Amino acid sequence: MPIKLPSDLPAYDVLNREGVMVMSEDSASRQDIRPLRIALLNLMPKKIQTETQFARVIGATPLQIEFSLIRMTEHQTKNTAAEHMEAFYRPFADVAETGEKFDGLVITGAPIEHLPFEEVTYWDEMTRVFDWTQSHVHSTFGVCWGGMAMINYFHGVPKHMLDHKAFGCIRHQNLAPASPFLRGFSDDMVMPVSRWTEVRRDEVEAAGLPVLIHSPETGPALVEDPCHRALYIFNHLEYDSGTLKEEYDRDVAAGKDINVPANYYPENDPKRAPQNRWRSHAHLLYGNWINEIYQTTPFDLARIGIDSTDWRNSAGG
């Protein structure tokens, strides 16, 4: 079944052309089933690109998904038209005020990783989001900075600055092949990495959290937090084929000292078109996450945050 999107959202036409099953709200309303309510708290500057990337991987399952877009209340984006934000996004304060609940929430990365968490202008509201997920969201997926912020808030696991950017397509190891979130995963895989910070495996495991995917080169990539019904991924399986290229070209044009993304271009030649070697695992991971939500979420949305306390055992954590 398809993901339900507003027919005038840019992602609707993009995904429809790619063959991803999308459904307008009018069509979805005629189906007598409850769609999963998945929200995206989008902290990235390029909102349209990011919402399309996540809609692509979330909408590739046989389940009907109702996709909602959320933004921080006071933070104003400089890279996306105000008309788009007004038409498709709701501020978190409005969402929280209504008391509505979601089966799943994705919290994206943000280009603020050089800042201590407490110096982020919207950190106070971000902590309210984290607390709100425990009563209003069945399962949360923190991505890159979003994941580092969540694991720090809930467990005190610090992020560490790197002396150079972890950048490229890095090989990772599957440490938990029996995990329902890694169903169908190979023993190792390539994953896009783009960050100046890291969390460390010993500190994650000291907090009592299982590391599901790890790289000797760039550290933990996927961590499960059963007690908070959350997954944290510090890399970018959702990236398009050309996203790392866009980041590299941007930094080169700005005169920044940036390394060529490793193992991304054929023969590491930026003049050649990059190859996508992570797409299948991206669909597997988010498909597995959606499936676990479907298997464990209460049918009655009002019970989310109440019956969700059983999520750990139901999800195999």
Side-chain angles (χ1 to χ4, degrees), residues 291-308:
N291 181 59
E292 289 305 305
I293 290 174
Y294 175 73
Q295 298 292 337
T296 61
T297 193
F299 183 83
D300 181 359
L301 280 166
R303 303 297 299 176
I304 287 176
I306 302 172
D307 294 344
S308 291

Side-chain angles (χ1 to χ4, degrees), residues 2-309:
I3 183 171
K4 186 173 80 171
L5 300 174
S7 58
D8 50 350
L9 185 73
Y12 186 96
D13 286 336
V14 172
L15 301 184
N16 194 44
R17 288 194 300 269
E18 293 180 5
V20 176
M21 295 180 67
V22 292
M23 176 181 285
S24 69
E25 294 179 2
D26 289 343
S27 298
S29 66
R30 294 194 292 270
Q31 292 196 339
D32 188 22
I33 59 174
R34 179 173 91 71
L36 292 181
R37 301 199 69 218
I38 307 295
L40 177 72
L41 178 58
N42 194 349
L43 308 176
M44 293 293 282
K46 294 184 176 181
K47 305 291 187 194
I48 294 174
Q49 181 187 58
T50 300
E51 68 205 28
T52 301
Q53 289 171 348
F54 281 104
R56 177 182 294 115
V57 291
I58 289 171
T61 75
L63 303 172
Q64 186 185 135
I65 306 293
E66 181 182 302
F67 195 53
S68 300
L69 299 172
I70 303 174
R71 63 173 176 83
M72 302 308 291
T73 304
E74 300 298 331
H75 183 72
Q76 301 298 318
T77 182
K78 300 176 182 178
N79 298 279
T80 305
E83 295 80 8
H84 181 86
M85 300 301 295
E86 180 67 26
F88 300 113
Y89 282 79
R90 288 183 296 160
F92 171 71
D94 289 0
V95 174
E97 185 177 2
T98 66
E100 63 189 285
K101 298 189 175 186
F102 296 88
D103 300 292
L105 171 71
V106 175
I107 301 176
T108 74
I112 50 176
E113 56 184 334
H114 61 289
L115 294 174
F117 292 118
E118 296 76 10
E119 293 183 15
V120 173
T121 56
Y122 49 77
W123 181 246
D124 286 346
E125 185 176 33
M126 196 79 252
T127 62
R128 291 195 293 274
V129 171
F130 298 155
D131 289 336
W132 170 83
T133 65
Q134 298 307 286
S135 55
H136 289 76
V137 178
H138 183 63
S139 179
T140 305
F141 210 141
V143 179
C144 203
W145 182 88
M148 291 186 181
M150 287 188 73
I151 200 172
N152 177 263
Y153 180 71
F154 285 131
H155 298 280
V157 175
K159 64 181 174 72
H160 302 274
M161 290 298 300
L162 299 170
D163 57 10
H164 66 281
K165 187 175 185 178
F167 193 37
C169 294
I170 309 301
R171 189 159 292 281
H172 289 72
Q173 300 168 345
N174 178 352
L175 301 185
S179 167
F181 300 108
L182 301 185
R183 190 177 293 114
F185 267 59
S186 52
D187 293 335
D188 68 359
M189 71 226 62
V190 167
M191 194 178 295
V193 181
S194 179
R195 49 183 165 82
W196 285 94
T197 54
E198 67 175 0
V199 297
R200 294 174 180 167
R201 181 175 177 178
D202 60 337
E203 293 172 337
V204 171
E205 293 178 338
L209 302 178
V211 177
L212 306 186
I213 299 177
H214 179 267
S215 167
E217 184 176 347
T218 56
L222 183 67
V223 174
E224 184 181 2
D225 185 353
C227 291
H228 295 93
R229 306 186 306 280
L231 290 174
Y232 311 132
I233 187 169
F234 307 119
N235 302 329
H236 290 285
L237 277 176
E238 82 282 358
Y239 267 9
D240 296 326
S241 301
T243 306
L244 291 178
K245 172 178 168 54
E246 292 171 10
E247 295 180 1
Y248 175 70
D249 290 347
R250 175 200 64 203
D251 289 349
V252 169
K256 296 183 179 180
D257 183 17
I258 184 65
N259 45 294
V260 174
N263 308 312
Y264 177 55
Y265 298 105
E267 299 181 356
N268 290 323
D269 182 358
K271 297 184 177 63
R272 300 179 63 179
Q275 294 179 325
N276 190 310
R277 293 179 287 137
W278 61 89
R279 184 182 294 115
S280 58
H281 282 103
H283 284 278
L284 271 176
L285 178 60
Y286 284 94
N288 287 340
W289 178 60
I290 292 294
N291 181 59
E292 289 305 305
I293 290 174
Y294 175 73
Q295 298 292 337
T296 61
T297 193
F299 183 83
D300 181 359
L301 280 166
R303 303 297 299 176
I304 287 176
I306 302 172
D307 294 344
S308 291
T309 54

